[in-house]
Amino acid sequence: MATHLITGAGSGIGAAVARRLHARGDDLILIARDAGRGKELTALFPGSRALVADLADPDRISWAFSHQPLPDRLDSLLHIAGIVDLGPVGELRPKTWHQQLNLNLIAPAELTRLMLPSLRASRGHVLYVNSGAGLTAHAEWGAYAASKHGLKALADALRAEEKPNGIRVTSVYPGRTATPMQAKVRSQEGESYDPGDWIDPESVATTILMAIDLPRDAEVNDLSVRPGR
């Protein structure tokens, strides 16, 4: 039975991944922003446990973990949580930049740092759910794309650094996916939202499980998932 630490397990792609791993009997550790949210998540996935840390405040993640037991071994660390807020560069205030950089880039970096001993112990896997915006930036996507471009750099550097320790690192770049985040984006774009127009989160979950289940003789570095219709 493998042990996985997951961010963003409450909805969208993260929930789809958590359901699949839970159904096959793996051990889940779910990041929750507070104790109340932790109880909600563990109720969704009986037998799982929550680690409480507010990813929006990465400076305090280490402090939060110092008050909770951490896993000795970790087979995968799945970074799936994220936020988006659109706007032209000429109008974005520092607060908007900080919010997206904190949750989309700095929190994953800090969480990875804190979990490296557990990942090294099991020659584990770190997977970052990035975005098509992490490869190409479009108008009004500046802050989000910058955070995701940075996430790619984080993954690439980590892969080179941790290869001697047997840790595999994967970046997954989904196109537009039918999640609450996409509903927010469509609202900000002034467009309607129809889940049927976008990638099903279950399809992205399938690619994630493929990457982490791959035999040790191979590694998926970068995986782009585009809409099929």
Side-chain angles (χ1 to χ4, degrees):
M1 183 174 63
T3 300
H4 312 275
L5 194 156
I6 309 173
T7 74
S11 67
I13 296 170
V17 171
R19 283 194 298 269
R20 299 273 283 274
L21 294 173
H22 185 260
R24 72 188 198 184
D26 285 0
D27 185 22
L28 305 185
I29 304 172
L30 311 174
I31 295 290
R33 63 180 174 269
D34 55 43
R37 184 57 171 160
K39 290 180 180 178
E40 293 174 0
L41 290 175
T42 54
L44 288 173
F45 305 102
S48 67
R49 73 180 181 95
L51 267 180
V52 176
D54 185 359
L55 299 181
D57 189 4
D59 288 341
R60 292 181 61 81
I61 294 175
S62 178
W63 175 86
F65 283 179
S66 71
H67 295 76
Q68 303 169 84
L70 301 181
D72 294 327
R73 297 173 59 87
L74 198 58
D75 294 286
S76 82
L77 170 55
L78 308 177
H79 297 278
I80 307 178
I83 59 169
V84 61
D85 203 357
L86 305 185
V89 172
E91 297 178 9
L92 292 177
R93 301 286 183 169
K95 180 179 179 180
T96 303
W97 284 94
H98 285 304
Q99 287 172 335
Q100 293 181 79
L101 289 168
N102 277 348
L103 200 139
N104 295 344
L105 175 57
I106 300 174
E110 176 66 349
L111 186 56
T112 299
R113 180 183 75 84
L114 295 169
M115 291 299 153
L116 273 178
S118 301
L119 289 159
R120 289 169 180 158
S122 58
R123 294 168 58 86
H125 200 134
V126 183
L127 186 142
Y128 300 94
V129 172
N130 200 298
S131 166
L135 300 172
T136 304
H138 297 288
E140 301 199 5
W141 287 76
Y144 180 75
S147 70
K148 292 297 190 176
H149 275 66
L151 192 65
K152 180 185 186 304
L154 168 63
D156 291 346
L158 181 71
R159 184 181 302 113
E161 293 166 3
E162 292 299 323
K163 187 176 182 63
N165 294 317
I167 294 178
R168 298 191 293 188
V169 180
T170 298
S171 290
V172 178
Y173 305 88
R176 296 199 180 211
T177 304
T179 65
M181 178 184 288
Q182 189 58 228
K184 176 183 177 181
V185 166
R186 295 296 287 173
S187 176
Q188 290 188 330
E189 292 174 330
E191 302 287 348
S192 61
Y193 171 68
D194 182 349
D197 291 339
W198 315 113
I199 303 171
D200 191 307
E202 293 290 343
S203 298
V204 182
T206 296
T207 69
I208 292 171
L209 266 64
M210 178 276 293
I212 65 175
D213 288 344
L214 201 65
R216 293 294 313 186
D217 64 310
E219 175 185 18
V220 175
N221 292 168
D222 297 279
L223 180 59
S224 185
V225 186
R226 313 312 302 165
R229 54 179 178 267

